Amino acid sequence: MMMEEEELEFAEDLEAILHLSPEVQLAIEQVFPSQDPLDRADFNAVDYINTLFPTEQSLANIDDVVSKIRLKIRRLDDNIRTVVRGQTNVGQDGRQALEEAQVAIGQLFGKIKDIKDKAEKSEQMVKEITRDIKQLDHAKRHLTTSITTLNHLHMLAGGVDTLEAMTRKRQYGEVANLLQGVVNVLEHFQKYMGIPQIRQLSERVKAAQSELGTQILADFEEAFPAQGSKRTGGPNFRMGYELIISSHATELCFPTVRNLGEMIDRFVSDFRAQGPPKAGTEDGGAVLPSCADLFVYYKKCMVQCSQLSTGEPMIALTTIFQKYLREYAWKILSGNLPKTSSNSGGLTIKSLLQEKEGSEAAKFTVEELCLICSILSTAEYCLATTQQLEEKLKEKVDKILVERINLTGEMDTFSNVISNSIQLLVQDLDSACDPALTAMSKMPWQSVEHVGDQSPYVTSVIMHIKQNVPIIRDNLASTRKYFTQFCIKFTNSFIPKFINHLFRCKPISMVGAEQLLLDTHSLKTVLLDLPSIGSQVVRKAPASYTKIVVKGMTRAEMILKVVMAPHEPCVVFVDNYIKLLADGNPETFQKTLDMKGLKRNEQSSMLELFRQRLPTPPSGADGGPSLSFSTPTPEQENSRIRKLEKLIKKRL
């Protein structure tokens, strides 16, 4: 009886456990879909039995059905037992892992606490160490300030005594410079005016200024008596300017500025008559001494003007400075640059009609090269000094007039002198190398039988480089960046010209191409060493310069390697060309075929294949055969110039 009650309670508990909500049952069906009627939530035992035994005759198989169901029940029991045991083990493992994690967390908290305690101790130790250092820093700063202030006080006291003595002696020239210095030093003591001694020195300076104003006004009235009256006796006070003095003797008016301009004009005229010093002077051949004197003169004019007025007269003085800075740049510096036949620049009818390509151009002498470098160095000095002059003028002029001080145009003028000087140096060396490149293009490269040393044209180019570059480098030692610009501009001019003449070497045999490749490598080596060639101190060339040489001369080497490659099979040759040169211009490809000596019918098929093998440009890009070049190559540019020459000749 007890067993039946226990089984009944177990059944009820089991039914309560197995009773799932519709949402859970739906989720189970979605995760574990099944067609078995026993898995359905609305399972009906009677309907299921009627399904198994639809007729009385089917009851004969009842034993088999019962056996299958019992087997299925045993399997389910085994699965349930396995799952329950697994869950039991998992629970034990989980509890053990949780206990271990709790222990580890406890240990971690302990370590963190130890680290925190040590960090607090370290911080406290650092504070104790740095406390003394901070005190020393404060002491040093206060000591430095005290020493500086005492020095200023000593200068101020001595200056005031000297100022009063000079004022009594009417030494106005010396007073002009001293007064400005005393006023500047006195500005440092504005926050100390509560100290009686400092206040007394300030009052003495003001009294000296007042006395100077009274004395100067009296001296002017005595030196320039009223019209029609005779000059009375008094100090022999003479000035080189025509002055108009206001009631407070504080404004320098426009006649003064005009006369100042005339004096500067005479100074520039004297300098122009003397001419720039020749190369080999103590200053390295630069025009620096006279130029430096000019700027010192400007400084004196500005200081004297600012002592009397910092208003409109300073603007007028700035205009005078601008005028003569430009005149110095163009008439003195640019006017003394050596002249060349191509110095005017641009494309002229004479240059277009000349057929003597590569003819020997007149080279500058060593003295002329030194003069160009001297003018370049002087222009750089003037550029820097003009910038400083602008800053000083802005510092002296009234704040409301600062925007009217602008010497940018004059600085641009000196920059143009620098650019023109560099261009002259580049043109001279470039034209000196032209005959050698012309000789290279006229050599019979098809008949070369063996590879020897570097060709004579390479030796000629190297000779010109060794003659010019050391002179230029030594004379531009103080302006290293402009020497680097010279090297870069020469390389940018020489390498495209070399490649252009390389295309004119046709036809070329295999041995001839090997000789040209050797020559190209020799030129590449010399160009890489160009900045330090002929120098005892070997410097590494700037990375920007090295990059230009490597890129340009590598292209020349790739052209020769393409020429050396067999042109059959054609597909391999075309693909190799595209890979080595990355140039999608058909004209360049045809020039390479001309160098190989291929006939026109062979070139036609190769050109068609070349166009077919070019990679497709990216979507949205402009159409055209170029792979990666957006600007015309030197070969294209030369072709355009030749077409222009033919057009002009035809019209003439």
Side-chain angles (χ1 to χ4, degrees):
M1 189 68 180
M2 290 294 294
M3 289 295 294
E4 291 179 357
E5 291 179 356
E6 291 178 357
E7 291 179 356
L8 182 60
E9 290 177 359
F10 177 75
E12 291 176 353
D13 294 340
L14 183 61
E15 183 178 359
I17 294 173
L18 295 178
H19 182 71
L20 304 175
S21 65
E23 293 80 4
V24 176
Q25 188 64 39
L26 179 61
I28 293 174
E29 291 177 357
Q30 291 176 351
V31 176
F32 303 104
S34 175
Q35 301 298 327
D36 193 340
L38 295 174
D39 294 333
R40 294 181 61 84
D42 56 349
F43 174 74
N44 190 309
V46 176
D47 293 340
Y48 182 69
I49 293 173
N50 289 335
T51 302
L52 295 176
F53 306 103
T55 61
E56 293 180 0
Q57 290 78 8
S58 61
L59 292 174
N61 299 326
I62 190 171
D63 294 333
D64 296 336
V65 174
V66 170
S67 298
K68 291 180 180 179
I69 291 176
R70 286 177 177 172
L71 178 61
K72 189 171 185 179
I73 290 172
R74 282 197 300 271
R75 290 178 178 174
L76 288 173
D77 290 339
D78 293 340
N79 291 338
I80 291 171
R81 189 179 299 107
T82 302
V83 172
V84 170
R85 290 176 179 174
Q87 290 297 323
T88 302
N89 295 335
V90 169
Q92 294 175 352
D93 294 341
R95 283 191 295 273
Q96 183 179 356
L98 180 60
E99 292 174 357
E100 293 175 354
Q102 290 175 342
V103 174
I105 291 173
Q107 294 175 351
L108 180 60
F109 273 113
K111 292 181 179 179
I112 291 174
K113 187 176 183 303
D114 292 340
I115 293 173
K116 184 178 180 181
D117 294 339
K118 291 180 180 178
E120 291 176 353
K121 292 180 181 178
S122 299
E123 183 179 2
Q124 185 64 29
M125 187 181 299
V126 170
K127 287 181 179 179
E128 292 175 358
I129 293 174
T130 56
R131 185 183 298 114
D132 295 336
I133 297 177
K134 289 181 180 178
Q135 291 177 352
L136 288 174
D137 288 339
H138 287 305
K140 178 182 177 182
R141 184 162 56 251
H142 293 321
L143 182 60
T144 302
T145 304
S146 300
I147 293 174
T148 303
T149 304
L150 287 174
N151 288 335
H152 286 161
L153 181 60
H154 178 70
M155 293 169 57
L156 180 62
V160 171
D161 292 339
T162 307
L163 179 64
E164 291 174 341
M166 290 181 176
T167 301
R168 289 192 296 269
K169 295 179 181 179
R170 283 182 163 80
Q171 296 175 340
Y172 299 126
E174 292 79 358
V175 167
N177 294 324
L178 178 61
L179 179 60
Q180 185 63 42
V182 170
V183 171
N184 291 338
V185 175
L186 188 61
E187 290 178 356
H188 294 283
F189 292 92
Q190 291 299 320
K191 55 186 177 181
Y192 302 118
M193 286 301 171
I195 302 175
Q197 290 82 355
I198 302 298
R199 187 169 59 253
Q200 182 181 4
L201 287 173
S202 177
E203 292 173 354
R204 289 173 62 186
V205 172
K206 291 180 181 178
Q209 288 178 309
S210 178
E211 184 178 354
L212 277 171
T214 303
Q215 286 185 187
I216 291 174
L217 186 59
D219 289 343
F220 271 117
E221 290 175 351
E222 186 176 0
F224 298 96
Q227 186 175 3
S229 63
K230 295 183 178 180
R231 177 171 300 189
T232 60
N236 186 15
F237 185 86
R238 297 182 179 274
M239 298 186 66
Y241 305 126
E242 175 189 355
L243 295 174
I244 299 178
I245 306 300
S246 66
S247 59
H248 297 89
T250 58
E251 291 292 332
L252 179 65
C253 300
F254 291 100
T256 303
V257 176
R258 184 177 65 251
N259 284 303
L260 177 62
E262 293 174 357
M263 291 189 67
I264 296 176
D265 191 14
R266 288 197 297 272
F267 181 85
V268 174
S269 300
D270 292 342
F271 172 77
R272 188 186 301 113
Q274 295 172 2
K278 295 183 180 180
T281 56
E282 294 181 358
D283 60 334
V287 198
L288 291 179
S290 297
C291 180
D293 292 342
L294 178 62
F295 278 101
V296 169
Y297 193 85
Y298 279 2
K299 180 179 179 182
K300 289 182 178 178
C301 294
M302 180 180 63
V303 171
Q304 293 174 0
C305 181
S306 64
Q307 289 175 351
L308 295 175
S309 174
T310 57
E312 286 293 337
M314 286 291 289
I315 301 299
L317 182 63
T318 302
T319 303
I320 295 294
F321 286 170
Q322 289 174 322
K323 175 183 176 181
Y324 291 103
L325 283 171
R326 289 193 297 268
E327 182 173 341
Y328 184 83
W330 290 120
K331 295 183 179 180
I332 304 300
L333 298 182
S334 291
N336 283 281
L337 284 173
K339 301 296 186 294
T340 63
S341 58
S342 59
N343 196 23
S344 59
L347 199 62
T348 62
I349 300 297
K350 181 179 179 181
S351 64
L352 289 175
L353 295 180
Q354 282 180 343
E355 296 295 340
K356 298 189 213 175
E357 183 181 359
S359 59
E360 183 70 35
K363 286 180 82 279
F364 289 139
T365 62
V366 175
E367 289 76 14
E368 289 173 328
L369 289 176
C370 294
L371 176 60
I372 296 173
C373 294
S374 299
I375 292 174
L376 192 156
S377 301
T378 303
E380 186 204 22
Y381 170 82
C382 293
L383 176 61
T385 312
T386 302
Q387 183 177 2
Q388 298 170 5
L389 179 63
E390 181 187 68
E391 294 172 356
K392 285 295 182 183
L393 286 169
K394 288 183 177 180
E395 178 184 326
K396 298 294 183 182
V397 77
D398 293 343
K399 299 299 181 184
I400 195 173
L401 301 176
V402 168
E403 297 299 327
R404 294 173 61 182
I405 304 292
N406 188 352
L407 300 182
T408 304
E410 289 65 40
M411 287 186 275
D412 291 342
T413 303
F414 287 116
S415 296
N416 290 335
V417 174
I418 293 173
S419 299
N420 293 340
S421 301
I422 294 176
Q423 191 60 33
L424 277 179
L425 297 174
V426 171
Q427 287 178 356
D428 181 60
L429 181 56
D430 200 33
S431 61
C433 298
D434 280 345
L437 297 181
T438 302
M440 175 191 77
S441 61
K442 293 181 178 180
M443 288 180 63
W445 294 104
Q446 190 177 19
S447 59
V448 177
E449 297 180 354
H450 62 276
V451 179
D453 295 332
Q454 64 185 26
S455 301
Y457 75 89
V458 177
T459 305
S460 177
V461 170
I462 295 175
M463 178 192 68
H464 288 299
I465 290 176
K466 288 185 176 180
Q467 285 178 348
N468 281 38
V469 174
I471 298 173
I472 297 172
R473 182 184 59 246
D474 294 343
N475 281 273
L476 295 182
S478 61
T479 56
R480 187 73 185 179
K481 64 178 180 180
Y482 292 119
F483 173 68
T484 302
Q485 285 188 21
F486 159 75
C487 295
I488 291 175
K489 287 189 176 183
F490 170 72
T491 306
N492 277 329
S493 174
F494 176 80
I495 294 180
K497 185 180 293 186
F498 172 72
I499 293 177
N500 185 35
H501 282 77
L502 199 62
F503 280 128
R504 300 179 188 179
C505 300
K506 55 186 179 181
I508 304 175
S509 65
M510 178 67 70
V511 180
E514 291 177 356
Q515 180 63 51
L516 276 171
L517 189 61
L518 173 66
D519 295 341
T520 302
H521 180 73
S522 299
L523 286 174
K524 179 180 179 180
T525 303
V526 171
L527 290 176
L528 287 173
D529 295 337
L530 184 141
S532 59
I533 195 167
S535 174
Q536 295 180 352
V537 179
V538 179
R539 282 187 178 182
K540 185 178 181 180
S544 57
Y545 172 79
T546 303
K547 183 178 179 181
I548 293 172
V549 175
V550 171
K551 182 179 179 181
M553 296 306 289
T554 300
R555 175 173 168 79
E557 292 173 340
M558 293 301 105
I559 292 173
L560 292 171
K561 289 181 179 180
V562 168
V563 173
M564 293 168 61
H567 60 278
E568 292 182 352
C570 299
V571 175
V572 176
F573 176 79
V574 171
D575 289 345
N576 190 42
Y577 173 89
I578 295 174
K579 178 181 178 182
L580 290 176
L581 289 182
D583 189 340
N585 191 329
E587 293 183 6
T588 307
F589 181 69
Q590 185 170 2
K591 290 179 180 179
T592 308
L593 300 180
D594 290 337
M595 294 173 71
K596 292 179 67 66
L598 297 183
K599 298 179 180 179
R600 288 298 173 183
N601 56 349
E602 293 177 304
Q603 292 189 16
S604 299
S605 59
M606 296 278 281
L607 282 169
E608 183 62 29
L609 181 60
F610 172 74
R611 293 187 177 94
Q612 295 175 2
R613 303 293 292 181
L614 284 178
T616 305
S619 59
D622 296 334
S626 178
L627 295 179
S628 59
F629 299 101
S630 58
T631 57
T633 62
E635 296 79 19
Q636 289 176 289
E637 197 66 36
N638 184 266
S639 177
R640 292 178 182 179
I641 294 176
R642 287 185 173 278
K643 290 178 182 178
L644 180 61
E645 289 179 1
K646 292 180 180 179
L647 179 62
I648 294 177
K649 290 179 182 178
K650 183 177 180 181
R651 292 186 178 181
L652 289 176

